[in-house]
């Protein structure tokens, strides 16, 4: 493997801190310094700035490709901050608008050593999408669409919580970006299901991600699709992002894989009629049997043709994949930089346990602690629900507080 990593001048922590404060003061987005100490900006639901918080103790923030990543931060208790930090307020980490979140829980805690703390927890802004269901248009019983995944996802958001939704259902200042019709063709059939759940299924089937970021200039929440870049070792078109001990880009790594949530064969049930429901069976390659046959059933209530049901099932198989999740700690001052050399969704190459894996970045956790900042990357696909349960920033924050 050819080493294709830009070696950059190392900058001391104090210089990073000073430069980031000047960038924030001048209103400059200093994205090249991904591990600067960022300001936490607190906004209300109208996206008006309430306060900037610099004097915090610990901060963890995770962006994820499909599931909403979580965040947590702690600061010494004061009445001023306690009045500003309300559930439902929006936080912005730094000034680039990419790390926006919704405060969901606030805890005031007195530790055994006598110190008093405020602990805020929440998720990325796209967790707001869990607050809506997929409501069919008046006179229709279901939402039926067949189009590229990006088209479906943006239309769903626009119709359920954006400008095309009923006035009371709109999220204030929520917009979607231009539709480039990216992703595989996807068949959607839903009604009264959770909006976030439907978006996640569509994204998984097309190997896309999605996000809600903040446009500081227009004061808007922006829904968009995440489509990664191929930075793996096997290509020459783009700069490569290689994570390995010998390149000083990997500090530690662990791998988990399995079949939790996986299905190898789907029974697809069509439209109801007096005669019953038509059914087709879908699988990829040779029909699985024995222990390798892991069955599931899905609905396609608008379809009656057996071949159409089978095609629909083959597309839906991608929503029930085998899981492979690789977590990697990136060394502080590594010679490749977040946002400049790799980003969420990018296909990268990682060396673990003597083998190279080319896998997309599923999650990026950035942390700023009393010891030093750090980055932890998640590659591949975690088991359904495992990401949000086991990768909790709030748990790490509490451990750090108790240790301190």
């Amino acid at each position: 493997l050819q080493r294709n990593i830009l070696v950059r001048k190392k900058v001391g922590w104090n210089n990073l801190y000073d430069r980031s404060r000047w960038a924030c003061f001048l209103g400059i987005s200093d994205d090249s310094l991904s591990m600067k100490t960022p300001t936490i900006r607190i906004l209300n639901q109208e996206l008006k700035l309430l306060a900037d918080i610099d004097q915090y103790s610990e901060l963890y923030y995770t962006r994820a490709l499909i599931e909403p990543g979580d965040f947590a931060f702690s600061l010494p208790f004061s009445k001023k901050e306690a009045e500003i930090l309300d559930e439902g307020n929006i936080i912005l980490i730094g000034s680039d608008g990419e790390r926006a979140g919704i405060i969901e829980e606030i805890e005031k805690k007195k530790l055994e050593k006598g110190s008093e703390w405020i602990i805020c927890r929440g998720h990325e802004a796209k967790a707001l999408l869990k607050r809506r269901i997929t409501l069919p248009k008046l006179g229709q019983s279901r939402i039926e669409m067949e189009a590229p995944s990006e088209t479906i996802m943006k239309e769903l958001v626009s119709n359920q919580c954006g400008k095309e939704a009923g006035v009371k259902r709109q999220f204030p200042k929520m917009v979607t970006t231009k539709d480039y019709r990216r992703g595989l063709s996807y068949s959607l059939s839903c009604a009264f299901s959770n909006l976030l759940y439907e978006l996640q299924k569509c994204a998984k089937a097309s190997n896309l991600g999605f996000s809600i970021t903040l446009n500081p200039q227009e004061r808007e929440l922006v829904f968009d699709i995440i489509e990664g870049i191929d930075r793996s070792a096997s290509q020459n078109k783009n700069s490569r992002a290689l994570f390995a001990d010998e390149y000083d880009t990997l500090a530690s790594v662990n791998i988990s894989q399995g079949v939790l949530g996986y299905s190898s064969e789907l029974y697809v049930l069509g439209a109801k009629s007096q005669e019953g429901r038509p059914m087709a069976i879908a699988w990829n390659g040779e029909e699985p049997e024995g222990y390798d046959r892991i069955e599931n059933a899905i609905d396609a209530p608008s379809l009656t043709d057996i071949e159409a049901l089978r095609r629909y099932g083959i597309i839906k198989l991608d929503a029930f994949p085998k899981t492979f999740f690789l977590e990697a700690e990136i060394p502080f001052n590594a010679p490749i930089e977040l946002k400049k050399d790799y980003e969420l969704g990018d296909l990268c190459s990682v060396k673990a346990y003597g083998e190279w894996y080319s896998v997309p970045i599923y999650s990026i956790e950035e942390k700023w602690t009393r010891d030093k900042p750090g980055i932890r990357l998640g590659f591949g696909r975690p088991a359904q629900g495992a990401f949000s349960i086991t990768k909790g920033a709030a748990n790490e924050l509490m451990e750090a507080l108790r240790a301190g």
Side-chain angles (χ1 to χ4, degrees):
L1 292 169
Q2 178 184 356
R3 180 170 181 171
N4 188 10
I5 295 177
L6 297 176
V7 179
R8 308 187 186 281
K9 180 179 178 182
K10 293 185 178 180
V11 182
W13 173 244
N14 290 333
N15 290 335
L16 286 177
Y17 181 76
D18 294 340
R19 184 173 163 188
S20 70
R21 290 179 64 84
W22 276 108
C24 183
F25 177 77
L26 296 172
I28 298 171
S29 176
D30 191 12
D31 290 341
S32 64
L33 295 174
S34 60
M35 294 317 296
K36 66 183 180 180
T37 300
T39 296
I40 302 175
R41 317 200 82 179
I42 310 298
L43 299 85
N44 63 17
Q45 294 183 5
E46 296 299 320
L47 304 184
K48 293 180 180 179
L49 181 65
L50 300 178
D52 285 341
I53 297 177
D54 291 302
Q55 304 301 316
Y56 54 85
S57 176
E58 311 272 349
L59 167 62
Y60 297 79
Y61 187 93
T62 301
R63 291 182 292 141
L65 198 60
I66 296 175
E67 292 186 68
D70 63 350
F71 70 82
F73 64 90
S74 66
L75 64 159
F77 177 84
S78 77
K79 187 175 180 180
K80 178 182 177 182
E81 273 80 15
E83 291 174 351
I84 295 169
L85 297 172
D86 284 336
E87 302 95 9
N89 278 350
I90 292 169
I91 71 162
L92 185 64
I93 308 300
S95 56
D96 60 12
E98 293 186 9
R99 294 168 293 188
I102 180 83
I103 297 176
E104 297 170 329
E105 184 180 24
I106 298 169
E107 181 180 0
K108 299 178 179 70
K109 194 171 188 69
K110 187 171 184 178
L111 301 181
E112 294 177 358
K113 298 178 182 179
S115 57
E116 296 179 331
W117 295 86
I118 300 175
I119 302 166
C120 286
R121 307 180 182 95
H123 285 87
E124 282 185 276
K126 64 183 175 186
L128 288 167
L129 300 169
K130 192 175 182 179
R131 302 185 179 189
R132 294 291 182 270
I133 63 170
T134 55
L135 186 66
K137 292 182 179 179
L138 189 65
Q140 298 179 357
S141 60
R142 297 187 68 80
I143 300 172
E144 307 283 356
M145 290 182 66
E146 184 159 355
S149 296
E150 178 177 12
T151 301
I152 288 178
M153 294 169 74
K154 289 184 175 177
E155 188 164 330
L156 270 179
V157 170
S158 181
N159 290 341
Q160 303 302 326
C161 58
K163 293 182 178 180
E164 300 302 318
V167 174
K168 297 291 187 180
R169 301 186 72 223
Q170 293 179 11
F171 288 134
K173 301 182 183 297
M174 171 76 78
V175 299
T176 59
T177 57
K178 180 180 177 180
D179 177 17
Y180 293 98
R181 299 180 64 83
R182 290 172 288 182
L184 301 174
S185 178
Y186 185 81
S187 296
L188 175 72
S189 177
C190 64
F192 305 104
S193 55
N194 186 267
L195 174 60
L196 179 61
Y197 173 71
E198 294 295 342
L199 293 170
Q200 288 174 331
K201 286 199 301 181
C202 186
K204 287 177 182 179
S206 296
N207 294 317
L208 295 173
F210 58 96
S211 66
I212 291 180
T213 57
L214 176 68
N215 181 335
Q217 287 73 38
E218 302 296 330
R219 283 197 356 212
E220 294 175 331
L221 290 174
V222 182
F223 177 87
D224 201 3
I225 298 301
I226 300 173
E227 185 177 40
I229 297 172
D230 187 351
R231 300 190 181 279
S232 64
S234 61
Q235 58 80 42
N236 295 305
K237 181 180 178 181
N238 305 305
S239 61
R240 299 172 182 174
L242 311 180
F243 295 91
D245 290 338
E246 56 261 40
Y247 296 158
D248 298 324
T249 53
L250 189 65
S252 64
V253 63
N254 65 277
I255 295 175
S256 59
Q257 59 190 95
V259 293
L260 292 174
Y262 169 65
S263 293
S264 61
E265 186 152 342
L266 293 180
Y267 289 79
V268 189
L269 303 175
K272 294 180 180 179
S273 67
Q274 291 182 345
E275 291 76 25
R277 301 182 69 177
M279 184 188 72
I281 306 175
W283 64 85
N284 283 318
E286 295 184 6
E287 183 175 2
E289 57 182 298
Y291 293 120
D292 294 329
R293 187 182 180 104
I294 303 177
E295 300 175 344
N296 210 332
I298 60 172
D299 284 316
S302 65
L303 301 178
T304 57
D305 180 71
I306 297 298
E307 184 58 28
L309 287 167
R310 190 186 67 82
R311 289 197 303 269
Y312 180 78
I314 290 174
I315 292 172
K316 291 293 186 179
L317 275 169
D318 286 333
F320 303 91
K322 290 183 178 179
T323 59
F324 177 92
F325 200 59
L326 186 155
E327 283 188 287
E329 294 278 353
I330 309 305
F332 181 55
N333 283 340
I336 58 175
E337 296 179 7
L338 175 61
K339 297 184 182 180
K340 187 170 291 185
D341 302 311
Y342 62 93
E343 211 4 319
L344 191 65
D346 287 355
L347 184 69
C348 305
S349 293
V350 187
K351 188 177 182 180
Y353 306 102
E355 294 188 33
W356 282 94
Y357 299 91
S358 289
V359 279
I361 299 177
Y362 184 89
S363 62
I364 300 175
E365 180 195 271
E366 298 174 86
K367 62 180 180 180
W368 295 266
T369 69
R370 285 168 288 185
D371 296 329
K372 63 180 180 181
I375 295 176
R376 179 166 59 188
L377 303 180
F379 296 87
R381 276 187 169 181
Q384 187 171 351
F387 174 80
S388 57
I389 292 172
T390 63
K391 319 295 187 241
N395 293 333
E396 293 188 52
L397 188 146
M398 284 308 302
E399 290 175 5
L401 280 178
R402 292 191 182 99

